[in-house]
Amino acid sequence: MAAKSRESVVLQPVSKSGTGKASKRNITYINVLQVLTVAALLGYMEYAVTSGKINRIFMASPSSIVEEAFHIAADGTLWPHLILTLQEVLVGYALAAGVGIIVGLIWTMFPKTEAYGNVFCSAIMAIPKTAILPLLILWFGIGFQSKVVLIFLFSVFQILYSTVTGAKQCKIEYLKVARVFNATKMQTVFKVMIPAALPSMFNGLRLAAATALTGVVFSEMQSAKAGLGYLLSESQNLLNTPRMFFIIILVTLISVCFVKLIAAIEYLLCHRWSRV
Amino acid sequence: MPTIKINKLDKYYPGENGETTHALKDINLEIQDGEFVCIVGPSGCGKSTLLEIVAGLLEHTDGEVLLDDIPVNGTSRDIGVVFQDASLYPWKTIKKNIAFGMDISGVPKKEQEERIAKYVKMMNLSGFENKYPSQLSGGMRQRAGIARALVMNPKVILMDEPFSAVDHLTRCTLQEELIRIRQEEKKTVLFVTHDINEAVYLADRVILLSPRPSTVQEEYDISIPHPRKRSDEYLVQKAAEIVAAISIGADKQEAVEYYI
Ligand SMILES: Nc1ncnc2c1ncn2[C@@H]1O[C@H](COP(=O)(O)OP(=O)(O)OP(=O)(O)O)[C@@H](O)[C@H]1O
Ligand SMILES: [Mg+2]
C-alpha cells in the first residue's frame, strides 16, 4: 500500500506536466497485453482440457469452473459452507482486533504490564499456529470454536504488536503538548496516542486480515464438517477439479475483499491527514 | 512583582554507568510581570532544559522555580508553551489543534468557537481553519502553534526556538506579529533563540547562559521602546557585545554556531 501511494505521488507531476497522455497510453498498452496474456492462458486451459490433452482430473476448463460455480450456488450446496467460513473469520478476527488493540493500549499505558506480558506473547507467537491445531481440536472440537480460536491466534499478535509499535512511535513532542495542557492519562491515550498509532495499527489489521483466511481454510481442510476448506478437501476426494478451482478462486476473492474493506476503513479515518 | 523567580536552580541528567550531565548550575533569575526575556547561549548549554523546567515538563535537581511565589511542580494553566516545530497534531485540523487545550479542560463549545475565532484572526489564519497541518506552510504552522498556546490565555508564554525552522522573511514577519501580540495581550514571554539579532530585536532583556554546566553569564537590558528598527545603532552594538561575550565564554569550548 505504502509503495503504491508513493508511486502515485511520483507519477502525479508527470501527468500534470503534459506528458501524461503518453504515460497513459503506455499503461493501457501494458494493460492490453496483460488481458491478452490471461485470455490466452484461459483459452489454452479450455482447449487443452476439452480436447483431452490434459487429464480432467489435473486441470479444469474455465467453462467447467463457471458451470460448477452456478451449479453449487443454484442447488444450495455452497451457501452453508460459505456462511460458516465467513462467520468463523469475522468472529475470530473481531476478537483478535478487540483483544489486540486493547492489550496493546494497556501495554502502552502501563509499561509494567508489557514487561510482564511480552515474554508470554512472544513465546506463544513463536509457535507455528498450524502446529497447535490438533490440540485446539482436542480442546474445542472440530466445529466453530476451534476455528475461531485458531483465527484469533493467527491474527491477534500481529495486531497487538503493531498497536504497541504505533503507540511507541508517538512523537515525544506530541506527548509534551498533551502534558502542557494538563491532559489526563486517559485523554492522552485517546486523543493523542491512539490517533498517532492509527496508521501502524491499520498496517497490522490489514496483514492480519490476509492471514485470517489462510488460517480458517487450512483448519477446515484438516478437520471439519463444514466450511469452504472442508468443501475444498471434499471436492479433492471426489476428484471434482472444477469445484476445487472455483473454491480456490472464491477464497482468494474473499481474502482480497476483506483486506480491501480494512483498507477502506483506514482510508476513511486517515486519508485526509496522513501523507504516507 | 516578579512572575517567575528561579533560585539556585541545579539540574543533573542521569547518564549511563553512573555518569551524570551537569546541565544547569546555580541559575538565579527573576522575570517581571509583562517582561519579554530572551535566553541565548552556546548550543547544548541547557536552554531547552531551563525552559522545560519552568514549563513543569521536567524535574529539576535542586533549587526552586516560583510562579507568582508558588513553586512549580508539574504543568500549569498559567504557562503556555510554543514548540520549535509547532508540534501540531497531524490528524487534527488547524481549528481542532487550536482547540486542543480547551477540549482537554472542558471549555464549552460555544466559548471555544469564540476564542478560536479571535486567535485565528489575530494570527492571520483565516480560511485555513479546516486545513490539516500538512497542507500549511511552516510559518503558518508556527502561527497555529502560537494560537494554540494563546487561546488558553496563559500569563506566561515559553517559546523554544519557535522561528528557527522557517525562512528569514517569514521569521521577520512572525517576529513583528509576536511583538504586536505581546503588546495587545500583555504576556510575560520567555524566549529561547540561537539568533542574537532576533534576541536583541524582540527582548526587554537578554540572558546569556555560559557553557555547561551553565550559569547566567551576563544579562543585557535592551532599554529602547518598540517599534524598533532592526538596523538601530544601539541594537547592533548590543548584539556585537553579546557575541563577543559568547566567544569569551566559549573559548575552551568547541566551535559555536552563532550568526549575527
Ligand atoms: N534527556 C536527557 N538525558 C541526558 N542528557 C540530556 C538530556 N537532555 C539534554 N541533555 C543534555 O543536557 C545538555 C543541555 O541540553 P539542552 O537541550 O537543554 O541544550 P540547549 O541549550 O537547548 O541546546 P540547543 O541550543 O542545541 O537546543 C546537553 O548537553 C544535553 O546533552
Ligand atoms: Mg534546545
Side-chain angles (χ1 to χ4, degrees):
Chain A
M1 281 311 270
K4 215 178 196 177
S5 59
R6 215 164 288 144
E7 196 172 290
S8 64
V9 168
V10 175
L11 282 178
Q12 255 173 13
V14 175
S15 58
K16 267 184 197 155
S17 64
T19 47
K21 249 187 181 172
S23 76
K24 238 182 197 166
R25 211 173 282 154
N26 264 340
I27 286 167
T28 43
Y29 169 62
I30 288 171
N31 286 350
V32 168
L33 257 186
Q34 289 168 332
V35 170
L36 283 179
T37 310
V38 172
L41 246 161
L42 290 176
Y44 175 72
M45 270 169 77
E46 187 73 41
Y47 161 75
V49 175
T50 43
S51 71
K53 278 212 155 99
I54 298 179
N55 193 315
R56 276 169 198 285
I57 290 169
F58 294 124
M59 186 61 80
S61 66
S63 63
S64 68
I65 296 172
V66 174
E67 204 177 300
E68 177 64 26
F70 279 111
H71 175 68
I72 60 170
D75 76 357
T77 322
L78 177 65
W79 306 116
H81 295 288
L82 176 62
I83 289 167
L84 180 69
T85 299
L86 288 179
Q87 280 173 343
E88 288 165 349
V89 170
L90 287 183
V91 173
Y93 183 80
L95 279 177
V99 171
I101 290 171
I102 289 169
V103 173
L105 292 178
I106 292 175
W107 280 14
T108 34
M109 274 170 82
F110 309 103
K112 289 212 170 101
T113 58
E114 183 184 1
Y116 167 78
N118 193 2
V119 176
F120 300 115
C121 282
S122 314
I124 302 172
M125 191 166 91
I127 305 170
K129 302 303 165 300
T130 47
I132 52 171
L133 182 60
L135 258 184
L136 293 181
I137 289 167
L138 205 59
W139 292 341
F140 300 103
I142 60 169
F144 190 74
Q145 279 185 16
S146 63
K147 311 296 179 293
V148 168
V149 173
L150 189 76
I151 297 163
F152 176 79
L153 291 176
F154 253 92
S155 315
V156 71
F157 299 107
Q158 187 87 35
I159 298 170
L160 166 61
Y161 280 104
S162 51
T163 304
V164 173
T165 313
K168 278 191 184 151
Q169 276 166 355
C170 180
K171 285 210 239 156
I172 304 269
E173 283 77 24
Y174 294 167
L175 299 175
K176 276 188 191 162
V177 171
R179 280 182 56 204
V180 162
F181 289 118
N182 277 320
T184 62
K185 199 155 193 171
M186 276 295 169
Q187 287 172 323
T188 308
V189 168
F190 283 96
K191 289 182 187 274
V192 181
M193 285 176 113
I194 293 181
L198 271 183
S200 166
M201 223 148 82
F202 269 105
N203 215 15
L205 285 170
R206 243 186 294 111
L207 290 172
T211 49
L213 222 71
T214 316
V216 72
V217 171
F218 174 79
S219 63
E220 284 173 350
M221 283 169 66
Q222 293 304 305
S223 56
K225 284 178 297 207
L228 289 178
Y230 169 78
L231 205 59
L232 185 60
S233 73
E234 187 200 51
S235 43
Q236 182 201 18
N237 293 337
L238 298 174
L239 301 180
N240 187 344
T241 312
R243 186 178 287 189
M244 282 169 63
F245 269 91
F246 169 62
I247 293 169
I248 292 168
I249 293 168
L250 183 62
V251 168
T252 310
L253 284 179
I254 295 172
S255 181
V256 169
C257 289
F258 196 19
V259 174
K260 289 277 177 220
L261 177 72
I262 303 296
I265 297 173
E266 175 180 15
Y267 181 81
L268 277 180
L269 286 176
C270 307
H271 79 280
R272 276 177 305 170
W273 57 269
S274 79
R275 273 175 300 174
V276 195
Chain B
M1 189 181 96
T3 304
I4 301 172
K5 201 164 178 196
I6 299 171
N7 289 331
K8 301 200 172 97
L9 186 70
D10 258 275
K11 173 69 186 174
Y12 291 86
Y13 280 110
E16 288 131 49
N17 46 40
E19 287 172 37
T20 54
T21 309
H22 196 176
L24 303 175
K25 181 185 158 194
D26 193 25
I27 301 266
N28 294 292
L29 263 183
E30 272 184 19
I31 294 161
Q32 307 298 323
D33 209 2
E35 204 179 7
F36 194 130
V37 173
C38 277
I39 296 178
V40 298
S43 188
C45 71
K47 302 182 292 293
S48 300
T49 304
L50 178 61
L51 212 69
E52 290 200 359
I53 289 172
V54 176
L57 287 168
L58 199 63
E59 306 223 319
H60 55 272
T61 316
D62 220 339
E64 59 179 359
V65 178
L66 303 173
L67 176 68
D68 287 336
D69 296 328
I70 299 162
V72 168
N73 56 22
T75 53
S76 145
R77 282 286 151 70
D78 291 331
I79 297 182
V81 182
V82 177
F83 293 89
Q84 177 172 8
D85 58 350
S87 293
L88 300 175
Y89 294 133
W91 56 87
K92 285 181 185 291
T93 59
I94 294 308
K95 195 170 150 183
K96 293 265 176 62
N97 264 294
I98 296 174
F100 182 71
M102 296 190 288
D103 260 346
I104 291 294
S105 48
V107 175
K109 280 277 179 267
K110 191 158 164 285
E111 193 188 335
Q112 286 196 14
E113 293 289 336
E114 283 162 17
R115 277 156 75 173
I116 291 169
K118 175 181 171 192
Y119 287 97
V120 160
K121 190 148 167 277
M122 180 185 286
M123 296 314 303
N124 290 326
L125 288 164
S126 304
F128 294 89
E129 295 97 327
N130 295 316
K131 295 256 190 288
Y132 287 84
S134 60
Q135 298 169 305
L136 262 60
S137 70
M140 281 182 157
R141 280 203 286 270
Q142 206 49 262
R143 287 202 198 106
I146 295 171
R148 179 177 60 185
L150 286 175
V151 82
M152 296 302 286
N153 199 20
K155 276 191 195 151
V156 180
I157 300 211
L158 308 178
M159 307 174 108
D160 191 355
E161 304 190 30
F163 305 151
S164 63
V166 297
D167 63 277
H168 183 74
L169 279 178
T170 311
R171 189 183 317 167
C172 291
T173 323
L174 288 170
Q175 287 166 359
E176 302 302 338
E177 285 177 3
L178 184 60
I179 289 168
R180 175 173 58 83
I181 288 158
R182 187 237 164 177
Q183 264 157 3
E184 280 173 29
E185 302 264 306
K186 310 264 181 276
K187 302 289 181 200
T188 307
V189 184
L190 192 55
F191 187 106
V192 168
T193 178
H194 258 110
D195 185 339
I196 307 291
N197 282 334
E198 179 172 73
V200 294
Y201 183 62
L202 293 174
D204 301 328
R205 187 152 54 106
V206 177
I207 311 279
L208 172 60
L209 295 184
S210 70
R212 216 158 25 91
S214 109
T215 55
V216 177
Q217 183 182 324
E218 197 73 71
E219 296 191 19
Y220 303 86
D221 280 318
I222 315 290
S223 50
I224 58 168
H226 287 284
R228 294 173 178 173
K229 260 174 64 191
R230 283 170 199 277
S231 55
D232 191 301
E233 196 78 28
Y234 177 81
L235 293 184
V236 172
Q237 203 225 316
K238 280 284 179 189
E241 215 176 292
I242 296 171
V243 170
I246 288 175
S247 40
I248 295 168
D251 252 357
K252 310 148 262 177
Q253 296 284 316
E254 73 255 49
V256 263
E257 338 153 355
Y258 273 88
Y259 42 91
I260 162 162

